[in-house]
Amino acid sequence: MGLEVDPAFFQDPEHRPKPTIDEAGSIPLIDLSPLSSVNPDDPHAPQALVGLLGELEAACTDWGFFQVVNHGVPPHLLQRLQAEARAFFALPTEEKRRVSRDAINPLGYFDTEHTKNVRDWKEVFDFMVDDEVVIPAWGEPGDEQAKTWKNRWPEYSELREAGHEYARAVEKLAFALLELISLTLGVGAKRLDGFFHGQSRSSFIRLNHYPPCPAPHLALGVGRHKDAGALTVLAQDDVGGLDVRRKSDGEWVRVKPIPDSYIINVGDIIQVWSNDKYESAEHRVSVNSERERFSIPFFFNPTLSTTVEPLEEVVDELINPPKYEAYNWGVFLKTRRNSNFRKLAVENLQIYHFKKNVQE
Ligand SMILES: O=C(O)CCC(=O)C(=O)O
Ligand SMILES: [Fe+2]
């Protein structure tokens, strides 16, 4: 088994998934129903939400990952996008390649992504929340002019409408979570909202399709990685395969599919804003030989002009000095996206490249 699979998909032995991965002791489950009964603009809201905030703070500290139910995203919007995603990936490869990502515009279809230089067993379709996004010039040689990234939609389908409608609904949930997480950091609920509004918004949605894999012990659907943005709001189907690295002991645990739930994870940007109070957790996707799997992450990202740095209210020069240098999110994302396009001899840009040399 596995001989028919291109070795470009093979993980190094230490990164291959074990035949069975525990679902017990996995990520916390949080009920968001208090959100619908409390008006967040009410000055007494933080008190009414105190139980929920405690659960969120513990989940973000201990795991960087959790599942939510009673989240308020209308299920039919996700179901519609899931149906469109299935229909798209069922098209002949030549059709899908008509909307392929290329070196200039990283949006659309892609089936040769590498994570840490090993090929992922998946195909994806990416679109931004806005159909056109201006990417400012960075001023480096070869990058003197602004570019536009454009969503590429297949002509025949309702994917565009379903995608935008879903994006609006899931973004509301992302803002609600951002506001709650801000409260747990001891800053105002709206402290971070401004980073997500305005020109060049960069949140995007990825449709993931993991076909059955004849060598699930050698390959991964997505290799181990951390998400670079602020928050990820992920819908998975009932197949399962998302593995999260448990902070307490470094073991991989499988996230159990729960109907009508979302999986939320803190990305690198919240790690930096919180000055490492919350850490972006490593995760990966295992595949199986019997069933295909679909998932839809919403990557909630600030605008491209955002300077990311530890929040001044969180740091303290004496007891909690800033652990990161400021960096520009647009430059970071563009560098990442360009390098994702091809297999690299060197490692991708990571937040620890901005880590300051401070004593813990
Ligand atoms: O498919 C999944 O469950 C997770 C995918 C993922 O981690 C990603 O696309 O960044
Ligand atoms: Fe991820």
Side-chain angles (χ1 to χ4, degrees):
M1 202 165 114
L3 291 178
E4 60 275 45
V5 173
D6 181 344
F9 289 102
F10 294 177
Q11 297 286 326
D12 286 342
E14 68 272 29
H15 299 306
R16 292 178 190 165
K18 290 190 200 144
T20 52
I21 295 187
D22 219 357
E23 266 182 5
S26 186
I27 63 174
L29 176 63
I30 297 183
D31 181 352
L32 289 181
S33 44
L35 266 189
S36 44
S37 52
V38 176
N39 172 3
D41 297 324
D42 177 342
H44 301 294
Q47 286 89 318
L49 292 171
V50 88
L52 177 56
L53 294 177
E55 285 178 57
L56 278 169
E57 182 170 17
C60 291
T61 308
D62 300 343
W63 285 89
F65 255 92
F66 50 97
Q67 274 170 299
V68 295
V69 288
N70 298 315
H71 44 71
V73 180
H76 70 274
L77 298 182
L78 174 62
Q79 285 155 10
R80 182 178 178 206
L81 184 57
Q82 284 170 324
E84 288 298 325
R86 263 177 196 275
F88 174 76
F89 289 121
L91 291 172
T93 306
E94 320 84 76
E95 281 294 314
K96 292 186 273 195
R97 294 218 166 123
R98 280 176 203 264
V99 288
S100 269
R101 182 204 290 196
D102 59 37
I104 315 272
N105 183 357
L107 301 165
Y109 177 71
F110 197 51
D111 63 357
T112 52
E113 185 148 71
H114 292 76
T115 303
K116 305 215 193 304
N117 286 328
V118 181
R119 195 162 159 198
D120 291 334
W121 190 269
K122 68 172 182 188
E123 50 179 350
V124 307
F125 179 88
D126 287 344
F127 61 94
M128 315 269 307
V129 291
D130 296 317
D131 271 332
E132 283 195 15
V133 178
V134 175
I135 312 299
W138 170 16
E140 295 271 303
D143 190 43
E144 294 90 0
Q145 279 184 348
K147 296 190 187 86
T148 307
W149 288 354
K150 287 190 181 145
N151 285 339
R152 294 193 160 99
W153 298 105
E155 271 163 32
Y156 70 94
S157 82
E158 292 186 16
L159 184 55
R160 176 166 185 250
E161 201 186 298
H164 281 307
E165 204 180 16
Y166 177 72
R168 280 191 292 274
V170 80
E171 193 180 37
K172 277 193 195 143
L173 171 60
F175 270 111
L177 290 163
L178 181 77
E179 291 173 11
L180 293 170
I181 290 174
S182 300
L183 291 172
T184 70
L185 289 173
V187 300
K190 304 272 183 199
R191 166 68 166 92
L192 302 169
D193 281 26
F195 293 127
F196 295 80
H197 291 297
Q199 272 260 301
S200 297
R201 300 195 305 154
S202 71
S203 295
F204 71 99
I205 288 185
R206 168 165 287 180
L207 309 177
N208 279 314
H209 175 220
Y210 306 96
C213 176
H217 54 304
L218 298 174
L220 288 169
V222 188
R224 70 192 196 288
H225 69 283
K226 297 175 176 185
D227 293 346
L231 270 180
T232 305
V233 181
L234 172 84
Q236 68 165 342
D237 64 14
D238 63 344
V239 174
L242 173 65
D243 301 329
V244 175
R245 178 134 28 210
R246 187 162 54 201
K247 248 176 99 172
S248 58
D249 58 2
E251 276 303 309
W252 288 105
V253 289
R254 178 72 39 90
V255 178
K256 190 179 154 121
I258 298 177
D260 203 17
S261 69
Y262 281 96
I263 298 159
I264 314 295
N265 63 292
V266 163
D268 290 345
I269 292 179
I270 287 192
Q271 175 165 342
V272 173
W273 278 335
S274 74
N275 206 33
D276 283 356
K277 174 174 161 76
Y278 300 149
E279 283 170 45
S280 169
E282 205 165 38
H283 55 287
R284 69 177 189 197
V285 175
S286 294
V287 282
N288 71 81
S289 54
E290 278 103 51
R291 291 185 70 190
E292 62 182 344
R293 174 172 181 267
F294 294 87
S295 75
I296 307 184
F298 171 72
F299 296 105
F300 189 43
N301 294 334
T303 59
L304 292 175
S305 59
T306 301
T307 300
V308 182
E309 59 190 327
L311 296 174
E312 58 183 20
E313 303 91 318
V314 168
V315 299
D316 178 292
E317 281 306 330
L318 280 179
I319 52 170
N320 185 15
K323 297 195 169 99
Y324 297 88
E325 306 284 356
Y327 63 92
N328 175 268
W329 167 243
V331 172
F332 188 97
L333 185 67
K334 192 157 57 162
T335 310
R336 267 288 186 96
R337 288 248 117 184
N338 287 343
S339 57
N340 276 355
F341 190 70
R342 47 181 204 275
K343 193 172 187 295
L344 279 185
V346 293
E347 193 201 10
N348 250 331
L349 185 58
Q350 306 281 346
I351 51 164
Y352 73 74
H353 294 130
F354 299 99
K355 192 115 192 188
K356 289 190 184 190
N357 195 7
V358 290
Q359 302 248 296
E360 298 275 327

